[in-house]
Amino acid sequence: MQTDSELKRAVRISEGEGGRQAGGCSDCAHVQSCLSRSLAGTNLMPIFESAIDADHIIDAGEPLVRAGDNFDALYVIKSGSFKAIVGENPANILGFYFATHLVGLESISKRKHSSGLVALERSLVCELNYQKLLDLFRRFPTVKVHFIEAMSGQLNESLTLFSVIRAGTVLQRVATFVLYLAAQHDRRKLASVDIVLPMGRTDISNFLGISPESLSRALTSLSKKRLLQVFNRRVTVLNRDALAALAGG
Amino acid sequence: MQTDSELKRAVRISEGEGGRQAGGCSDCAHVQSCLSRSLAGTNLMPIFESAIDADHIIDAGEPLVRAGDNFDALYVIKSGSFKAIVGENPANILGFYFATHLVGLESISKRKHSSGLVALERSLVCELNYQKLLDLFRRFPTVKVHFIEAMSGQLNESLTLFSVIRAGTVLQRVATFVLYLAAQHDRRKLASVDIVLPMGRTDISNFLGISPESLSRALTSLSKKRLLQVFNRRVTVLNRDALAALAGG
DNA sequence: CGCTAATTTGAGTCCGTTCAAGGGCGGTGG
DNA sequence: CCACCGCCCTTGAACGGACTCAAATTAGCG
């Protein structure tokens, strides 16, 4: 899911910073989709930046947060991707998060992280202290609105995925997942036909609640039906409408 | 799920009002768990009440909102219960909501209701205009914090249910559902041993992504194992720990 | 280039669904 | 008050899809 340009940017930004640095919103590739988007280009941006504690570089396989950690910050993914795991066994995957996503929202109410977040690839995140963020909401109502809409969007997305994955057949679940990834690409204004999966088959099958064998068979089945093309972790969508029809029915 | 006292209160409040009336927070049984809880008893309460447009009485089987409706208000369930359905076929149930729940959160970002809400029994809800609510957030930061925590809690709850229901066996799903209902009773400080289901078997099985026959068999199976007792829509939890062990493993 | 882990493929079994029929409860009308 | 009727829930039997177990192939990496 990580594009070359995003990766290049992440590496450039992180050069010689040793995994921790001050965040620079004006430089960020995602100002236009971030909570701060209504402040972009104005002289108010430095105030927003005061809520950002630091940027963090997380290597593939490393945790951003562990289940049970105290909650005190949210994170915006600047580049890369993460998987959310419940408990300590890596077998229960709750979801995946990509660039521009705001993560940690489900942990606000309990003041503890209910799930862990593990980087699927070398990733760059921007840390938003929750208390500072609440202060910002008072100063900038539009930021607060963006935040609420981000939460609402995630809730809606969870429920949408849930409705299919809960009851659908293996083929429906896999089709839904591919469409979900394509939608993520759309949201980032990237080509949504060619998708490079940042996660392994096991992660996907765990997320979908099916066995890795079933996932493998489903992918070859969809290939034979010319709905998509699979080469290792590269997925090419050949017939998006047919996939949608399959997922929806 | 509706207790006698809640029902009595709802009826008393709604007497002779023809299904629509001004909301009175000071009178409400749920002030202590509502968004307004930090304002309770103060002279600021009337300002909060200004965000409340009206109370609505919804008869069993009637919709509170339909999928596709424009979003402009959230609702607090004062008494009764609702099911959320996706699309127009009643076969896809996203979730259930009970007294004290705040509903409609997933529809904020799209300005349209992505799912319909149908009353499972005669219910009373309190309408919160979203724009007025946003104004209130500016005046009362604590109300805003409560709101954010409510959203976070729902997101967390969705993900928790999702993790089990997606991949678990029929027995695990049913055990999880019973525990979920018990937890709802706990949250409302009610006895969590005796549960009266406001919804039919079909609704439950749709929500859990299993067939009604499987649900029926699972319930008799759990009865035989002495984990619970079922009589029509009345469920008595006999061994909560064993249910939790079954759901978790 | 060899190792290890991940993915794919195959065969058999099991769980849950589907199809079909039998009860039980509540509502309605006589 | 009781009988009837319709709907929902339960129970049973057979089918089918997904899982499990096992092995081969491949990819990733030092």
Side-chain angles (χ1 to χ4, degrees), chain B residues 21 32-33 44 78 128 165 211 235:
Chain B
Q21 63 174 72
Q32 292 309 325
S33 58
L44 300 171
K78 286 186 164 184
L128 299 173
I165 290 175
S211 70
V235 176

Side-chain angles (χ1 to χ4, degrees), chain B residues 47-65:
Chain B
I47 302 177
F48 183 88
E49 287 177 334
S50 70
I52 300 170
D53 282 317
D55 279 7
H56 297 275
I57 298 169
I58 318 287
D59 278 322
E62 293 300 313
L64 173 58
V65 299

Side-chain angles (χ1 to χ4, degrees), chain B residues 168-238:
Chain B
T169 65
V170 166
L171 234 52
Q172 288 176 321
R173 296 186 197 205
V174 174
T176 302
F177 183 70
V178 172
L179 290 172
Y180 164 70
L181 292 180
Q184 293 299 327
H185 270 201
D186 283 339
R187 215 170 64 81
R188 289 194 280 155
K189 309 263 193 300
L190 302 175
S192 57
V193 174
D194 284 306
I195 298 169
V196 177
L197 306 172
M199 73 295 279
R201 298 285 193 274
T202 313
D203 284 343
I204 300 175
S205 65
N206 279 326
F207 174 65
L208 296 178
I210 61 179
S211 70
E213 293 93 334
S214 291
L215 172 61
S216 179
R217 283 185 248 271
L219 288 175
T220 58
S221 167
L222 291 174
S223 294
K224 284 179 183 169
K225 288 179 181 169
R226 308 280 177 214
L227 300 192
L228 49 78
Q229 206 172 322
V230 185
F231 181 73
N232 296 335
R233 289 192 173 187
R234 164 159 271 117
V235 176
T236 308
V237 176
L238 298 179

